[in-house]
Amino acid sequence: MSQTKNSTLKQLPHKEIRHRLFGSVEPIEKTKPTEKENMHDIQNEKKDFLFELDSVGITNVKHPITIKSDMKPTTQTTIGTFSFSSSLPQTSKGTNMSRFTEQLNNYYSEGFVVSFTSLKAFTKELSERLEQQDATIEISFPWFFERNAPHTELSGLNHADITMAVTYDKLSGYTMCASLGGKVATLCPCSKEISEYSAHNQRGNITMEIEFTSDFTEGAIDWKSHLLEAAESNASSRLYPVLKRPDEKVVTETAYENPRFVEDIVRLVAADLYEMDFVSKFKVSCRNEESIHLHDAIASVSFDKSAKSSE
Ligand SMILES: Nc1nc2c(ncn2[C@@H]2O[C@H](COP(=O)(O)OP(=O)(O)OP(=O)(O)O)[C@@H](O)[C@H]2O)c(=O)[nH]1
């Protein structure tokens, strides 16, 4: 902001006086301890507090994170929204909430690259730091990937919404879950069938929620790009950031050649997840934003491979 001298402006009272004008008062004489060791530690009181808690912690913590991908850009910084929690025994009044963000900052200062490997280490350390049986971390973030137009190959960035969650439990070990929400185009099979020409289409919002097999290690597999491919390869068309006319022709014709109902989408994506060795359970949902209605069309399917294999 440029500051121009203007001698006609009136002189304001000093900032301290302005604060008093708006209600600030002098501090009273303080009597409670200011040293941590002399402060009462309410959260660590031990009594019978009626119920054990499933979960206590903090949520909606925004923090920069680094993630890796086998799609370009292979390393990126994005913004993660974190939740941290643990269970709490009946005998504890409260958790030590500062320890969640304290540990996040420790990891960040050492170059925290978010992966299932690092989140496993994070949750185990967190459960020890909290002196609790378990700890859970959940991170949601937009993941960006390069996408080339189908004919000209002009590139730009698209993104999908990712959530990664890891729970460590001293007795049962690790649980790893993820979800990916991606957008596609769908062309209505009914409209194509009944009309002399054209067919209406929709924007499809596909969400895949998966639980990983317990032996899953990231090593060779970028699960993000596998899930993205499951969503996009089963749609009428992928979405592109840059399209010239020859690209638009390809997209239009590809969609016409691959009509999909919302039901078709969830079944086809489910089939791909069914075939992925690292997925043990999944739920696929799709919400199609209808272009010829004000409402949306929805469908979902869930499957637990471990339950089916033991039948
Ligand atoms: N348990 C609990 N803590 C809260 C709640 N609301 C706020 N707090 C936070 O508790 C913080 C204190 O965190 P603690 O980790 O217990 O602090 P501490 O006991 O000095 O930390 P340690 O030395 O790690 O034990 C305060 O900064 C508050 O923000 C709540 O509902 N429950």
Side-chain angles (χ1 to χ4, degrees):
M1 203 166 44
S2 68
Q3 285 199 334
T4 48
K5 281 200 172 166
N6 190 334
S7 54
T8 59
L9 282 180
K10 76 166 185 174
Q11 186 74 34
L12 296 178
H14 188 269
K15 194 161 184 176
E16 209 182 305
I17 297 170
R18 299 204 293 264
H19 283 181
R20 265 189 246 132
L21 177 66
F22 285 92
S24 295
V25 292
E26 289 300 321
I28 58 160
E29 197 181 330
K30 310 278 169 64
T31 55
K32 291 196 177 179
T34 55
E35 298 303 321
K36 187 174 177 226
E37 55 275 17
N38 299 326
M39 287 178 173
H40 184 48
D41 193 354
I42 286 191
Q43 326 27 346
N44 282 315
E45 270 177 23
K46 301 287 176 214
K47 281 185 199 161
D48 183 348
F49 289 105
L50 311 181
F51 294 99
E52 180 185 334
L53 300 188
D54 305 333
S55 172
V56 55
I58 61 174
T59 189
N60 206 17
V61 178
K62 297 238 186 279
H63 210 275
I65 55 170
T66 300
I67 54 168
K68 305 262 187 195
S69 167
D70 66 6
M71 292 171 76
K72 289 182 187 167
T74 52
T75 301
Q76 65 190 263
T77 302
T78 183
I79 302 294
T81 304
F82 288 71
S83 295
F84 308 88
S85 59
S86 76
S87 61
L88 194 72
Q90 190 166 328
T91 47
S92 293
K93 174 152 176 76
T95 190
N96 292 105
M97 292 198 170
S98 67
R99 298 183 195 178
F100 298 112
T101 45
E102 189 179 18
Q103 188 175 313
L104 175 62
N105 197 55
N106 289 351
Y107 269 61
Y108 177 67
S109 58
E110 286 162 20
F112 188 17
V113 177
V114 169
S115 67
F116 279 107
T117 308
S118 62
L119 295 186
K120 279 164 106 174
F122 192 104
T123 47
K124 186 164 190 291
E125 186 177 328
L126 187 58
S127 79
E128 287 157 6
R129 188 182 285 265
L130 294 170
E131 298 166 72
Q132 299 298 344
Q133 159 85 19
D134 56 67
T136 296
I137 184 168
E138 188 179 295
I139 314 175
S140 299
F141 56 88
W143 164 51
F144 291 86
F145 53 90
E146 208 174 283
R147 168 56 43 83
N148 297 338
H151 185 89
T152 61
E153 300 198 342
L154 288 169
S155 84
L157 288 182
N158 271 2
H159 70 272
D161 296 318
I162 300 262
T163 298
M164 296 171 70
V166 175
T167 295
Y168 168 75
D169 184 289
K170 268 184 201 163
L171 294 178
S172 55
Y174 295 101
T175 310
M176 294 173 280
C177 296
S179 75
L180 184 144
K183 296 186 194 303
V184 297
T186 58
L187 182 133
C188 179
C190 173
S191 172
K192 176 180 172 177
E193 180 67 28
I194 61 178
S195 306
E196 299 290 346
Y197 26 72
S198 186
H200 76 84
N201 56 24
Q202 301 103 346
R203 169 164 301 166
N205 299 274
I206 302 177
T207 305
M208 289 150 286
E209 298 159 71
I210 63 164
E211 186 172 321
F212 292 84
T213 52
S214 55
D215 60 355
F216 171 70
T217 49
E218 266 147 341
I221 296 173
D222 182 9
W223 56 272
K224 298 186 290 305
S225 54
H226 281 68
L227 294 194
L228 182 67
E229 183 64 10
E232 293 189 319
S233 63
N234 288 302
S236 300
S237 172
R238 298 171 198 254
L239 305 186
Y240 300 88
V242 187
L243 291 175
K244 297 296 185 186
R245 278 170 290 150
D247 302 306
E248 190 173 357
K249 177 177 162 64
V250 175
V251 170
T252 307
E253 291 171 359
T254 304
Y256 198 76
E257 289 154 9
N258 296 280
R260 300 281 188 266
F261 277 139
V262 70
E263 297 94 325
D264 304 334
I265 292 279
V266 295
R267 286 185 169 127
L268 286 168
V269 175
D272 281 14
L273 299 183
Y274 184 90
E275 289 180 343
M276 288 181 197
D277 287 343
F278 61 86
V279 175
S280 73
K281 287 183 198 168
F282 62 79
K283 177 176 180 186
V284 184
S285 322
C286 185
R287 181 175 60 83
N288 279 351
E289 294 170 40
E290 297 279 8
S291 57
I292 58 164
H293 299 294
L294 285 176
H295 57 251
D296 298 341
I298 54 171
S300 69
V301 54
S302 307
F303 195 83
D304 181 347
K305 292 188 204 175
S306 53
K308 292 290 167 190
S309 63
S310 61
E311 273 176 8

